[in-house]
Amino acid sequence: MQGNLPPEAQEKLEELQDLQETAQQVAAQKQQAETQLSESETALDELENVDEDTTMYREVGELLVKTNYDDAEADLEEKVDSLEVRVDTLQKQEERVQEQFEELQEELQQMLGGAGGAMGGPGAGGA
């Protein structure tokens, strides 16, 4: 069917496909950031149950380096804050991509005279 589309419609369809790929990438990045955030929040919560005199280590690349309670707590709090901002940014980016997708989908449907039905956006499938 794509071969029978007018050039403008073909271009819109390609843009839709590109946006769908972008949406999938953003969703994957957001999911990864949410996982890291959850793990960091859990670690910060667990740190409250640790005696401040306990010997602790943090991961630096392939090494474990001795650290103290205050540094461990500050590092985790900073990581949580940073990840919260990242998740929020990715959420907004995901919403913008979804809006762009819906606008392009509408334009394409208008070009094709309202035919085509629901094409399923980047959020389709319960992601």
Side-chain angles (χ1 to χ4, degrees), residues 38-58 67-80:
S38 177
E39 290 171 356
S40 296
E41 288 172 334
T42 299
L44 195 55
D45 289 344
E46 286 300 316
L47 192 59
E48 292 176 13
N49 300 325
V50 173
D51 183 50
E52 290 189 24
D53 295 332
T54 302
T55 302
M56 288 187 274
Y57 299 88
R58 65 183 173 95
T67 188
N68 64 45
Y69 184 93
D70 291 336
D71 288 345
E73 183 178 40
D75 288 347
L76 279 171
E77 286 174 349
E78 183 179 325
K79 186 173 185 179
V80 165

Side-chain angles (χ1 to χ4, degrees), residues 22-102:
T22 300
Q24 290 169 348
Q25 292 169 353
V26 170
Q29 290 174 15
K30 186 177 121 194
Q31 183 176 7
Q32 182 181 21
E34 287 172 335
T35 300
Q36 291 173 342
L37 175 59
S38 177
E39 290 171 356
S40 296
E41 288 172 334
T42 299
L44 195 55
D45 289 344
E46 286 300 316
L47 192 59
E48 292 176 13
N49 300 325
V50 173
D51 183 50
E52 290 189 24
D53 295 332
T54 302
T55 302
M56 288 187 274
Y57 299 88
R58 65 183 173 95
E59 210 174 351
V60 179
E62 296 292 322
L63 301 174
L64 291 177
V65 178
K66 192 173 182 178
T67 188
N68 64 45
Y69 184 93
D70 291 336
D71 288 345
E73 183 178 40
D75 288 347
L76 279 171
E77 286 174 349
E78 183 179 325
K79 186 173 185 179
V80 165
D81 290 344
S82 174
L83 285 166
E84 285 173 342
V85 169
R86 176 116 176 97
V87 168
D88 187 49
T89 301
L90 288 167
Q91 176 67 37
K92 289 175 183 172
Q93 186 177 357
E94 192 174 47
E95 290 168 4
R96 280 192 306 271
V97 169
Q98 178 66 33
E99 288 171 12
Q100 290 174 334
F101 186 92
E102 290 170 3

